[in-house]
Amino acid sequence: MSDEWSSPMAAAVGGIRILIGLAPPAALGAYRRHAQLAEDFPVTGDSGYDGYAFVAVDDGGGEWPRLVVTQRYAPSGAGFPPGVLYVPEQRQLFIGAGTRLIAYQARSGQWRRSWEDEAQAGFWSWRQHDDVVIMSAELGIAAWRTDGTRLWTTFAEPPWSYRVVAGQIVLDVMGTVRTFDLHRGP
């Protein structure tokens, strides 16, 4: 992999800095040693297509990120990028890569894993709609509250898409459109 991927990209949300990379950063050992919580996950799914994701959160607790998450994942590549969504009001972090979904929350200055779940056939993206986080995957759509509480999930065979209109999900699966409440689900 080229050198540009060995340095993570940084995104800031308020006073939080999130580092994201597609290759192990040169300082990975130091990140792990200084983290309050460091977790590493092995590949899931078809290991012939595995990717790598690095996510670290610097929430102002010191010189180093306090949360470090590394993982190998599958599927990867075109259509299956890893994704991160951070909800500052809840101090909740959602990570998706391959078929693995993970959530972390910082409470009383300590990061902990909230839950681990699975995306059917591969994660696509996270999006926040008011107090609901929507996860899109190859074979489904699921929703959580911004505090990480699971709301609902439903199967969706590609091609599919959704939009949110006035608190309602409008889900189009291969031309068949269903509408249901964002919070209650189908």
Side-chain angles (χ1 to χ4, degrees):
M1 190 158 289
S2 64
D3 288 343
E4 72 238 27
W5 294 111
S6 63
S7 293
M9 180 178 71
V13 179
I16 306 299
R17 188 171 67 118
I18 301 171
L19 304 173
I20 303 165
L22 299 178
L28 180 59
Y31 283 133
R32 285 182 175 150
R33 280 191 306 277
H34 290 93
Q36 180 255 315
L37 176 60
E39 294 196 298
D40 180 57
F41 295 90
V43 72
T44 60
D46 180 0
S47 62
Y49 296 96
D50 66 320
Y52 181 90
F54 166 82
V55 177
V57 179
D58 175 2
D59 58 357
E63 295 179 31
W64 295 91
R66 294 182 338 117
L67 173 65
V68 175
V69 180
T70 56
Q71 61 178 313
R72 293 212 170 268
Y73 64 92
S76 66
F80 296 100
V84 175
L85 185 138
Y86 180 70
V87 181
E89 302 82 13
Q90 300 287 342
R91 298 185 52 82
Q92 183 78 39
L93 178 73
F94 296 85
I95 301 172
T99 58
R100 183 179 295 111
L101 306 171
I102 317 167
Y104 293 89
Q105 188 170 47
R107 286 197 178 158
S108 303
Q110 298 293 310
W111 283 97
R112 66 172 180 79
R113 185 174 354 138
S114 305
W115 49 260
E116 184 177 349
D117 205 340
E118 187 172 315
Q120 289 189 314
F123 168 83
W124 284 353
S125 68
W126 298 108
R127 288 193 186 146
Q128 184 177 344
H129 302 276
D130 297 320
D131 64 340
V132 176
V133 173
I134 299 290
M135 185 279 308
S136 299
E138 180 78 9
L139 293 178
I141 181 172
W144 287 263
R145 291 188 192 284
T146 54
D147 69 2
T149 304
R150 177 78 170 246
L151 292 173
W152 53 266
T153 187
T154 193
F155 179 79
E157 185 177 352
W160 70 266
S161 63
Y162 84 92
R163 58 192 162 97
V164 175
V165 178
Q168 300 287 307
I169 293 264
V170 180
L171 178 62
D172 181 339
V173 179
M174 297 191 294
T176 301
V177 177
R178 295 187 306 167
T179 301
F180 50 88
D181 185 81
L182 178 63
H183 291 90
R184 287 191 303 262

